[in-house]
Amino acid sequence: MKNYISFFREIQARSKFEIEYEKRYSKKLATQFNAMKFLHWNENKVSEILAFFLDPNEGHGQGDIYLKLFKEELGLHFPYDNPTKVQVILEDPTFANRRVDIVLKNQDQSSILGIENKIYPWTRDQENQVQDYLKYLQYISTHHYQLLYLAPKSKELTGYSAGKEVETLIETGLLHLINYEDDIIPLLKEFIKNTENERVRCFLMDFESQLIENYMGKENLDPGSLNHFITETEDNIETAFKVSNTLHSIKQDMKSLADQQMFQLADELSEELNMMVIYNEQYHQFGISVFKNVYVRFNYEESGVIYGLAKTPAFMDQNKDKVYFEDLRNHLGIKFRTSHLWPLYFLQYSNIDHNAEFWVDIKNGNFKLFMKTFIMKVLEAPDDIIKDL
Protein backbone atom coordinates (compact mmCIF):
# COMPACT_ATOMS: atom_id res chain seq x y z
CA MET A 1 0.00 0.00 0.00
CA LYS A 2 2.87 2.38 0.80
CA ASN A 3 4.16 1.93 -2.76
CA TYR A 4 0.79 3.01 -4.17
CA ILE A 5 0.63 6.05 -1.88
CA SER A 6 4.12 7.28 -2.75
CA PHE A 7 3.49 6.58 -6.46
CA PHE A 8 0.35 8.73 -6.54
CA ARG A 9 1.89 11.48 -4.42
CA GLU A 10 4.81 11.75 -6.80
CA ILE A 11 2.54 11.97 -9.86
CA GLN A 12 0.28 14.52 -8.15
CA ALA A 13 3.27 16.66 -7.22
CA ARG A 14 4.61 16.60 -10.77
CA SER A 15 1.17 17.33 -12.17
CA LYS A 16 0.65 20.34 -9.88
CA PHE A 17 4.06 21.72 -10.82
CA GLU A 18 3.35 21.49 -14.55
CA ILE A 19 -0.15 22.99 -14.16
CA GLU A 20 1.33 25.96 -12.29
CA TYR A 21 4.06 26.32 -14.90
CA GLU A 22 1.42 26.28 -17.65
CA LYS A 23 -0.63 28.96 -15.88
CA ARG A 24 2.36 31.21 -15.33
CA TYR A 25 3.43 31.08 -18.97
CA SER A 26 0.01 30.61 -20.60
CA LYS A 27 0.25 33.77 -22.72
CA LYS A 28 3.34 32.48 -24.44
CA LEU A 29 2.57 28.75 -24.43
CA ALA A 30 -1.24 28.81 -25.13
CA THR A 31 -1.28 25.04 -24.62
CA GLN A 32 -5.08 24.96 -24.33
CA PHE A 33 -5.64 26.48 -27.78
CA ASN A 34 -6.54 24.08 -30.59
CA ALA A 35 -8.14 25.09 -33.89
CA MET A 36 -9.85 21.68 -34.06
CA LYS A 37 -12.21 22.80 -31.27
CA PHE A 38 -13.92 25.11 -33.76
CA LEU A 39 -14.79 22.27 -36.14
CA HIS A 40 -17.85 20.04 -36.00
CA TRP A 41 -15.91 16.87 -35.22
CA ASN A 42 -17.38 13.86 -37.01
CA GLU A 43 -16.30 11.12 -39.40
CA ASN A 44 -16.90 13.24 -42.50
CA LYS A 45 -14.74 16.06 -41.17
CA VAL A 46 -11.86 13.77 -40.19
CA SER A 47 -12.04 12.04 -43.59
CA GLU A 48 -12.00 15.45 -45.26
CA ILE A 49 -8.83 16.44 -43.40
CA LEU A 50 -7.08 13.15 -44.19
CA ALA A 51 -8.07 13.36 -47.87
CA PHE A 52 -6.83 16.96 -48.07
CA PHE A 53 -3.31 16.01 -46.98
CA LEU A 54 -3.13 12.83 -49.05
CA ASP A 55 -3.98 14.77 -52.21
CA PRO A 56 -0.74 16.07 -53.80
CA ASN A 57 -2.74 18.76 -55.62
CA GLU A 58 -4.44 20.33 -52.61
CA GLY A 59 -3.76 23.75 -51.11
CA HIS A 60 -1.25 22.61 -48.47
CA GLY A 61 1.42 23.26 -51.10
CA GLN A 62 3.64 20.38 -49.98
CA GLY A 63 3.19 18.25 -53.11
CA ASP A 64 3.11 14.49 -52.62
CA ILE A 65 5.24 14.34 -49.45
CA TYR A 66 2.27 13.25 -47.31
CA LEU A 67 1.18 10.62 -49.82
CA LYS A 68 4.73 9.25 -49.96
CA LEU A 69 4.93 9.06 -46.16
CA PHE A 70 1.48 7.46 -46.04
CA LYS A 71 2.64 4.74 -48.45
CA GLU A 72 6.00 4.18 -46.79
CA GLU A 73 4.90 4.18 -43.15
CA LEU A 74 1.92 1.87 -43.75
CA GLY A 75 3.66 -0.34 -46.34
CA LEU A 76 1.15 0.29 -49.13
CA HIS A 77 1.37 -0.48 -52.85
CA PHE A 78 0.27 2.62 -54.75
CA PRO A 79 2.66 3.45 -57.63
CA TYR A 80 2.27 6.64 -59.67
CA ASP A 81 4.44 8.44 -62.21
CA ASN A 82 2.91 11.89 -62.01
CA PRO A 83 1.57 13.17 -58.66
CA THR A 84 -0.49 15.85 -60.44
CA LYS A 85 -2.63 13.08 -61.93
CA VAL A 86 -3.35 11.32 -58.63
CA GLN A 87 -7.03 11.63 -57.70
CA VAL A 88 -8.34 11.67 -54.13
CA ILE A 89 -12.12 11.38 -53.91
CA LEU A 90 -14.34 11.86 -50.88
CA GLU A 91 -17.55 9.85 -50.48
CA ASP A 92 -17.05 7.87 -53.69
CA PRO A 93 -20.44 6.28 -54.53
CA THR A 94 -20.58 2.53 -55.17
CA PHE A 95 -23.16 0.60 -57.18
CA ALA A 96 -24.68 -0.69 -53.90
CA ASN A 97 -25.90 2.80 -52.88
CA ARG A 98 -23.01 3.19 -50.46
CA ARG A 99 -20.06 5.56 -50.32
CA VAL A 100 -16.39 4.80 -49.67
CA ASP A 101 -15.07 7.52 -47.35
CA ILE A 102 -11.84 8.13 -49.31
CA VAL A 103 -10.64 6.66 -52.62
CA LEU A 104 -7.19 7.26 -54.12
CA LYS A 105 -6.57 6.53 -57.82
CA ASN A 106 -3.33 6.71 -59.77
CA GLN A 107 -3.29 8.03 -63.33
CA ASP A 108 -4.40 4.86 -65.16
CA GLN A 109 -6.36 3.37 -62.24
CA SER A 110 -3.96 0.43 -62.22
CA SER A 111 -3.86 0.87 -58.44
CA ILE A 112 -6.73 1.91 -56.16
CA LEU A 113 -6.71 2.56 -52.43
CA GLY A 114 -9.95 2.90 -50.49
CA ILE A 115 -10.25 4.05 -46.87
CA GLU A 116 -13.21 3.26 -44.64
CA ASN A 117 -13.00 5.61 -41.67
CA LYS A 118 -14.59 4.99 -38.26
CA ILE A 119 -13.68 7.50 -35.56
CA TYR A 120 -15.79 5.97 -32.76
CA PRO A 121 -15.35 2.44 -31.39
CA TRP A 122 -19.11 1.94 -30.99
CA THR A 123 -20.10 2.88 -34.57
CA ARG A 124 -21.82 -0.19 -35.99
CA ASP A 125 -20.73 -1.48 -39.38
CA GLN A 126 -23.51 -2.14 -41.87
CA GLU A 127 -24.12 -5.65 -43.12
CA ASN A 128 -21.67 -6.56 -45.94
CA GLN A 129 -20.44 -2.94 -46.00
CA VAL A 130 -16.72 -3.72 -46.26
CA GLN A 131 -17.43 -6.62 -48.61
CA ASP A 132 -19.32 -4.30 -50.97
CA TYR A 133 -16.51 -1.71 -50.85
CA LEU A 134 -13.97 -4.35 -51.87
CA LYS A 135 -16.14 -5.46 -54.81
CA TYR A 136 -16.43 -1.85 -55.94
CA LEU A 137 -12.67 -1.21 -55.70
CA GLN A 138 -11.99 -4.39 -57.67
CA TYR A 139 -14.43 -3.24 -60.35
CA ILE A 140 -12.88 0.20 -60.86
CA SER A 141 -9.22 -0.90 -60.70
CA THR A 142 -7.39 -2.31 -63.70
CA HIS A 143 -4.79 -4.19 -61.65
CA HIS A 144 -4.33 -3.69 -57.89
CA TYR A 145 -6.77 -2.60 -55.19
CA GLN A 146 -6.77 -2.47 -51.42
CA LEU A 147 -9.17 -1.28 -48.70
CA LEU A 148 -7.82 0.28 -45.51
CA TYR A 149 -10.16 -0.08 -42.54
CA LEU A 150 -9.28 2.80 -40.21
CA ALA A 151 -10.76 2.79 -36.71
CA PRO A 152 -9.84 3.22 -33.05
CA LYS A 153 -7.73 0.37 -31.71
CA SER A 154 -10.61 -0.99 -29.62
CA LYS A 155 -12.98 -1.39 -32.58
CA GLU A 156 -13.24 -4.86 -34.11
CA LEU A 157 -14.09 -5.63 -37.72
CA THR A 158 -16.19 -8.79 -38.00
CA GLY A 159 -17.55 -11.03 -40.74
CA TYR A 160 -20.89 -9.22 -40.46
CA SER A 161 -19.40 -6.42 -42.54
CA ALA A 162 -16.40 -8.03 -44.24
CA GLY A 163 -17.88 -11.46 -44.98
CA LYS A 164 -16.84 -14.95 -43.93
CA GLU A 165 -13.44 -14.62 -45.61
CA VAL A 166 -12.35 -11.66 -43.49
CA GLU A 167 -9.19 -13.39 -42.22
CA THR A 168 -8.20 -14.41 -45.76
CA LEU A 169 -8.76 -10.87 -47.01
CA ILE A 170 -6.43 -9.56 -44.31
CA GLU A 171 -3.79 -12.23 -44.98
CA THR A 172 -3.75 -11.51 -48.73
CA GLY A 173 -3.51 -7.75 -48.10
CA LEU A 174 -6.73 -6.84 -49.92
CA LEU A 175 -8.01 -5.64 -46.56
CA HIS A 176 -5.58 -3.76 -44.35
CA LEU A 177 -6.54 -2.88 -40.77
CA ILE A 178 -5.05 0.33 -39.38
CA ASN A 179 -5.89 2.35 -36.28
CA TYR A 180 -5.52 5.88 -35.00
CA GLU A 181 -3.34 5.08 -32.00
CA ASP A 182 -0.63 2.96 -33.67
CA ASP A 183 -0.76 4.23 -37.25
CA ILE A 184 -2.30 7.65 -37.86
CA ILE A 185 -0.94 9.53 -34.84
CA PRO A 186 2.67 8.37 -35.50
CA LEU A 187 2.12 9.14 -39.19
CA LEU A 188 1.09 12.70 -38.34
CA LYS A 189 4.34 13.14 -36.42
CA GLU A 190 6.16 12.37 -39.69
CA PHE A 191 3.88 14.76 -41.58
CA ILE A 192 4.77 17.51 -39.13
CA LYS A 193 8.52 16.83 -39.36
CA ASN A 194 8.43 17.01 -43.16
CA THR A 195 6.22 20.10 -43.55
CA GLU A 196 8.02 23.22 -44.73
CA ASN A 197 5.17 25.70 -44.25
CA GLU A 198 4.61 26.91 -40.68
CA ARG A 199 0.84 27.46 -41.02
CA VAL A 200 0.31 23.96 -42.38
CA ARG A 201 2.57 22.53 -39.68
CA CYS A 202 0.54 24.24 -36.95
CA PHE A 203 -2.71 22.85 -38.36
CA LEU A 204 -1.23 19.33 -38.41
CA MET A 205 -0.03 19.75 -34.83
CA ASP A 206 -3.55 20.72 -33.74
CA PHE A 207 -4.98 17.73 -35.63
CA GLU A 208 -2.46 15.41 -33.99
CA SER A 209 -3.19 16.92 -30.56
CA GLN A 210 -6.94 16.39 -31.01
CA LEU A 211 -6.47 12.77 -32.03
CA ILE A 212 -4.16 12.15 -29.06
CA GLU A 213 -6.77 13.68 -26.73
CA ASN A 214 -9.55 11.59 -28.30
CA TYR A 215 -7.76 8.26 -28.28
CA MET A 216 -5.05 8.48 -25.63
CA GLY A 217 -6.31 11.09 -23.22
CA LYS A 218 -5.27 14.63 -22.49
CA GLU A 219 -2.20 14.68 -20.30
CA ASN A 220 -1.49 17.28 -17.63
CA LEU A 221 1.98 15.87 -17.27
CA ASP A 222 4.50 16.11 -20.04
CA PRO A 223 4.59 12.55 -21.46
CA GLY A 224 8.38 12.53 -21.47
CA SER A 225 8.53 13.47 -17.80
CA LEU A 226 5.84 10.95 -16.84
CA ASN A 227 7.45 8.16 -18.87
CA HIS A 228 10.79 8.86 -17.26
CA PHE A 229 9.30 8.65 -13.76
CA ILE A 230 7.36 5.43 -14.41
CA THR A 231 10.30 3.66 -16.03
CA GLU A 232 12.74 4.70 -13.29
CA THR A 233 12.05 1.55 -11.27
CA GLU A 234 10.46 -1.87 -11.74
CA ASP A 235 8.00 -1.09 -8.94
CA ASN A 236 6.81 2.04 -10.74
CA ILE A 237 6.20 0.10 -13.95
CA GLU A 238 4.26 -2.63 -12.13
CA THR A 239 2.24 -0.07 -10.18
CA ALA A 240 1.37 1.88 -13.32
CA PHE A 241 0.03 -1.26 -14.99
CA LYS A 242 -1.95 -2.28 -11.91
CA VAL A 243 -3.55 1.17 -11.80
CA SER A 244 -4.29 1.12 -15.53
CA ASN A 245 -5.91 -2.32 -15.32
CA THR A 246 -8.36 -1.18 -12.64
CA LEU A 247 -9.73 1.78 -14.63
CA HIS A 248 -12.47 -0.22 -16.37
CA SER A 249 -13.91 -1.53 -13.11
CA ILE A 250 -13.60 1.95 -11.56
CA LYS A 251 -15.69 3.44 -14.38
CA GLN A 252 -18.36 0.75 -13.96
CA ASP A 253 -18.50 1.47 -10.22
CA MET A 254 -18.79 5.20 -10.88
CA LYS A 255 -21.63 4.64 -13.36
CA SER A 256 -23.46 2.66 -10.67
CA LEU A 257 -22.83 5.48 -8.21
CA ALA A 258 -24.26 7.99 -10.71
CA ASP A 259 -27.45 5.91 -10.98
CA GLN A 260 -27.71 5.74 -7.19
CA GLN A 261 -27.41 9.53 -7.05
CA MET A 262 -30.13 9.90 -9.70
CA PHE A 263 -32.50 7.69 -7.67
CA GLN A 264 -31.79 9.92 -4.67
CA LEU A 265 -32.40 13.00 -6.80
CA ALA A 266 -35.77 11.67 -8.00
CA ASP A 267 -36.88 11.12 -4.39
CA GLU A 268 -35.65 14.57 -3.35
CA LEU A 269 -37.42 16.31 -6.24
CA SER A 270 -40.67 14.41 -5.63
CA GLU A 271 -40.73 15.66 -2.05
CA GLU A 272 -39.44 19.16 -2.80
CA LEU A 273 -41.75 19.86 -5.75
CA ASN A 274 -44.71 17.81 -4.60
CA MET A 275 -44.94 15.96 -7.91
CA MET A 276 -44.07 12.48 -9.13
CA VAL A 277 -40.50 12.10 -10.38
CA ILE A 278 -39.32 8.61 -11.31
CA TYR A 279 -35.83 7.64 -12.43
CA ASN A 280 -35.36 4.79 -14.93
CA GLU A 281 -31.90 3.26 -14.53
CA GLN A 282 -31.96 1.40 -17.84
CA TYR A 283 -32.41 4.56 -19.94
CA HIS A 284 -30.90 7.06 -17.48
CA GLN A 285 -34.04 9.17 -17.63
CA PHE A 286 -36.44 11.00 -15.35
CA GLY A 287 -40.17 10.73 -15.86
CA ILE A 288 -41.74 13.90 -14.45
CA SER A 289 -45.52 13.95 -13.99
CA VAL A 290 -46.00 17.41 -15.55
CA PHE A 291 -44.17 16.35 -18.74
CA LYS A 292 -46.34 14.22 -21.03
CA ASN A 293 -44.16 14.18 -24.15
CA VAL A 294 -40.56 14.08 -22.95
CA TYR A 295 -38.18 12.60 -20.42
CA VAL A 296 -35.21 14.39 -18.90
CA ARG A 297 -32.32 12.11 -19.84
CA PHE A 298 -28.57 11.74 -19.89
CA ASN A 299 -26.73 9.09 -21.84
CA TYR A 300 -23.25 7.80 -22.66
CA GLU A 301 -22.88 8.83 -26.31
CA GLU A 302 -20.42 10.58 -28.65
CA SER A 303 -17.53 9.24 -26.52
CA GLY A 304 -18.87 11.29 -23.63
CA VAL A 305 -22.06 12.15 -21.77
CA ILE A 306 -24.96 14.01 -23.35
CA TYR A 307 -28.02 15.35 -21.55
CA GLY A 308 -31.31 16.98 -22.51
CA LEU A 309 -34.89 16.05 -23.35
CA ALA A 310 -35.82 12.81 -25.13
CA LYS A 311 -39.19 11.89 -26.63
CA THR A 312 -41.49 9.40 -24.90
CA PRO A 313 -42.40 6.36 -27.06
CA ALA A 314 -45.94 7.71 -27.63
CA PHE A 315 -44.65 11.13 -28.65
CA MET A 316 -42.08 9.49 -30.94
CA ASP A 317 -44.82 7.49 -32.68
CA GLN A 318 -46.76 10.72 -33.35
CA ASN A 319 -43.66 12.78 -34.24
CA LYS A 320 -41.07 10.64 -36.01
CA ASP A 321 -39.41 13.69 -37.56
CA LYS A 322 -37.31 16.13 -35.57
CA VAL A 323 -39.13 18.31 -33.06
CA TYR A 324 -37.66 21.71 -32.24
CA PHE A 325 -38.35 23.35 -28.86
CA GLU A 326 -36.93 26.71 -29.95
CA ASP A 327 -38.65 28.71 -27.21
CA LEU A 328 -37.26 26.44 -24.49
CA ARG A 329 -33.84 26.48 -26.14
CA ASN A 330 -33.86 30.27 -26.10
CA HIS A 331 -35.14 30.32 -22.52
CA LEU A 332 -32.29 28.09 -21.33
CA GLY A 333 -29.70 29.94 -23.40
CA ILE A 334 -27.75 26.80 -24.33
CA LYS A 335 -26.72 25.77 -27.86
CA PHE A 336 -28.65 22.52 -27.79
CA ARG A 337 -28.61 20.21 -30.79
CA THR A 338 -31.60 18.22 -32.08
CA SER A 339 -32.02 14.66 -33.33
CA HIS A 340 -35.04 12.49 -34.13
CA LEU A 341 -35.06 11.18 -30.54
CA TRP A 342 -33.75 14.24 -28.70
CA PRO A 343 -35.58 17.56 -29.20
CA LEU A 344 -32.75 19.06 -27.13
CA TYR A 345 -29.37 17.55 -26.27
CA PHE A 346 -25.89 18.79 -25.48
CA LEU A 347 -22.51 17.07 -25.08
CA GLN A 348 -21.63 18.02 -21.51
CA TYR A 349 -18.60 15.77 -20.96
CA SER A 350 -16.35 14.70 -23.83
CA ASN A 351 -13.89 11.83 -24.15
CA ILE A 352 -14.76 10.26 -20.79
CA ASP A 353 -12.59 7.21 -21.48
CA HIS A 354 -9.51 9.39 -21.08
CA ASN A 355 -10.77 12.47 -19.24
CA ALA A 356 -11.37 12.34 -15.47
CA GLU A 357 -13.76 15.31 -15.24
CA PHE A 358 -17.03 13.35 -15.44
CA TRP A 359 -15.90 10.68 -13.00
CA VAL A 360 -14.67 13.30 -10.54
CA ASP A 361 -18.02 15.13 -10.80
CA ILE A 362 -19.85 11.93 -9.90
CA LYS A 363 -17.61 11.42 -6.87
CA ASN A 364 -17.99 14.97 -5.55
CA GLY A 365 -21.73 15.19 -6.33
CA ASN A 366 -21.42 17.90 -8.98
CA PHE A 367 -23.06 15.75 -11.66
CA LYS A 368 -26.10 15.16 -9.45
CA LEU A 369 -26.28 18.91 -8.78
CA PHE A 370 -25.94 19.61 -12.50
CA MET A 371 -28.88 17.34 -13.39
CA LYS A 372 -31.00 18.87 -10.62
CA THR A 373 -30.22 22.39 -11.86
CA PHE A 374 -31.19 21.47 -15.41
CA ILE A 375 -34.50 19.91 -14.33
CA MET A 376 -35.33 22.95 -12.19
CA LYS A 377 -34.52 25.37 -15.02
CA VAL A 378 -36.82 23.49 -17.39
CA LEU A 379 -39.61 23.45 -14.80
CA GLU A 380 -39.16 27.21 -14.30
CA ALA A 381 -39.87 27.91 -17.98
CA PRO A 382 -43.07 29.89 -18.75
CA ASP A 383 -46.33 27.92 -18.86
CA ASP A 384 -46.75 28.41 -22.63
CA ILE A 385 -43.44 26.54 -23.09
CA ILE A 386 -44.07 23.85 -20.48
CA LYS A 387 -47.40 22.86 -22.07
CA ASP A 388 -45.58 21.39 -25.10
CA LEU A 389 -43.40 19.19 -22.94
Side-chain angles (χ1 to χ4, degrees):
M1 180 60 74
K2 287 182 180 179
N3 283 349
Y4 288 117
I5 293 171
S6 60
F7 180 82
F8 278 110
R9 281 179 177 167
E10 179 67 24
I11 288 179
Q12 287 169 351
R14 290 169 183 249
S15 180
K16 286 177 181 177
F17 171 79
E18 294 198 9
I19 288 170
E20 287 304 315
Y21 181 86
E22 211 172 77
K23 286 180 180 176
R24 181 171 295 184
Y25 297 101
S26 61
K27 286 186 177 180
K28 289 185 177 180
L29 298 174
T31 55
Q32 300 302 312
F33 178 81
N34 190 324
M36 296 296 117
K37 302 295 184 185
F38 296 97
L39 302 179
H40 179 47
W41 189 265
N42 56 28
E43 285 176 355
N44 289 340
K45 182 55 65 177
V46 175
S47 295
E48 187 180 340
I49 293 171
L50 291 172
F52 175 85
F53 285 101
L54 293 177
D55 191 339
N57 308 300
E58 271 291 3
H60 49 70
Q62 306 301 298
D64 65 340
I65 184 62
Y66 304 125
L67 181 55
K68 283 181 178 178
L69 289 167
F70 182 70
K71 288 171 49 184
E72 291 167 7
E73 297 297 319
L74 299 181
L76 305 174
H77 177 77
F78 185 73
Y80 56 89
D81 297 325
N82 187 347
T84 64
K85 293 185 178 180
V86 171
Q87 281 186 290
V88 180
I89 303 165
L90 276 166
E91 296 287 307
D92 195 14
T94 73
F95 29 64
N97 251 353
R98 287 173 166 159
R99 294 177 181 274
V100 186
D101 290 324
I102 305 171
V103 171
L104 291 83
K105 303 177 181 180
N106 62 6
Q107 51 264 43
D108 57 0
Q109 296 197 181
S110 61
S111 190
I112 301 286
L113 285 178
I115 303 174
E116 169 60 5
N117 180 29
K118 304 287 187 186
I119 67 171
Y120 301 119
W122 58 83
T123 303
R124 189 170 181 268
D125 291 308
Q126 299 169 23
E127 187 175 6
N128 298 325
Q129 182 180 13
V130 165
Q131 198 173 40
D132 287 345
Y133 289 167
L134 283 165
K135 288 178 182 177
Y136 170 70
L137 297 178
Q138 181 182 28
Y139 177 78
I140 63 173
S141 67
T142 60
H143 179 59
H144 177 269
Y145 66 97
Q146 186 176 40
L147 178 67
L148 311 183
Y149 185 84
L150 169 60
K153 200 172 182 178
S154 59
K155 180 167 175 56
E156 182 184 10
L157 175 63
T158 67
Y160 178 78
S161 177
K164 294 179 181 178
E165 303 299 319
V166 58
E167 295 299 330
T168 303
L169 291 169
I170 294 170
E171 288 172 9
T172 58
L174 292 177
L175 179 61
H176 188 36
L177 307 186
I178 59 176
N179 65 69
Y180 279 98
E181 295 93 322
D182 294 337
D183 299 304
I184 298 303
I185 290 172
L187 180 63
L188 285 173
K189 292 185 186 300
E190 294 303 313
F191 281 14
I192 292 164
K193 285 180 191 175
N194 289 275
T195 299
E196 296 185 32
N197 181 272
E198 188 61 27
R199 290 169 63 198
V200 177
R201 186 185 298 111
C202 287
F203 183 92
L204 282 167
M205 289 171 69
D206 281 349
F207 187 42
E208 177 202 26
S209 177
Q210 188 62 49
L211 291 179
I212 290 173
E213 182 177 336
N214 286 357
Y215 299 113
M216 298 177 176
K218 191 174 180 180
E219 296 163 322
N220 284 331
L221 274 171
D222 171 68
S225 170
L226 183 59
N227 290 349
H228 177 73
F229 166 67
I230 289 175
T231 56
E232 268 183 344
T233 68
E234 294 176 5
D235 284 344
N236 282 0
I237 295 171
E238 289 178 0
T239 303
F241 272 89
K242 287 175 182 176
V243 170
S244 174
N245 292 336
T246 62
L247 280 177
H248 178 73
S249 62
I250 288 171
K251 290 170 187 174
Q252 295 306 311
D253 289 345
M254 297 307 290
K255 285 182 178 181
S256 297
L257 177 58
D259 284 324
Q260 291 174 29
Q261 292 175 347
M262 296 305 108
F263 279 118
Q264 294 168 1
L265 178 57
D267 291 340
E268 292 167 9
L269 289 172
S270 295
E271 185 174 348
E272 187 177 331
L273 302 173
N274 195 28
M275 65 176 65
M276 186 178 292
V277 180
I278 299 174
Y279 178 67
N280 183 309
E281 182 179 11
Q282 181 180 359
Y283 298 106
H284 312 299
Q285 66 191 19
F286 294 88
I288 302 174
S289 57
V290 295
F291 298 160
K292 305 302 180 186
N293 297 322
V294 297
Y295 299 114
V296 174
R297 178 184 288 183
F298 74 91
N299 205 23
Y300 302 99
E301 295 184 32
E302 296 190 9
S303 77
V305 177
I306 66 173
Y307 79 98
L309 301 181
K311 297 175 184 176
T312 64
F315 192 58
M316 173 65 98
D317 286 342
Q318 297 167 7
N319 300 270
K320 296 187 184 298
D321 293 331
K322 292 181 180 179
V323 173
Y324 301 89
F325 292 148
E326 285 298 330
D327 290 340
L328 179 59
R329 184 178 186 271
N330 294 335
H331 168 77
L332 295 171
I334 296 169
K335 294 181 178 179
F336 285 107
R337 292 152 63 188
T338 304
S339 72
H340 287 83
L341 175 61
W342 298 74
L344 299 176
Y345 76 96
F346 187 82
L347 179 64
Q348 182 63 19
Y349 298 91
S350 61
N351 196 25
I352 61 173
D353 273 347
H354 303 290
N355 192 325
E357 182 184 5
F358 172 63
W359 313 108
V360 171
D361 277 358
I362 293 174
K363 179 66 177 175
N364 61 26
N366 281 344
F367 181 61
K368 177 185 175 184
L369 178 61
F370 172 81
M371 290 303 297
K372 179 178 182 178
T373 302
F374 174 64
I375 292 170
M376 295 300 291
K377 284 184 176 179
V378 175
L379 288 169
E380 290 165 3
D383 291 341
D384 61 330
I385 294 177
I386 292 288
K387 65 180 175 57
D388 294 327
L389 306 181

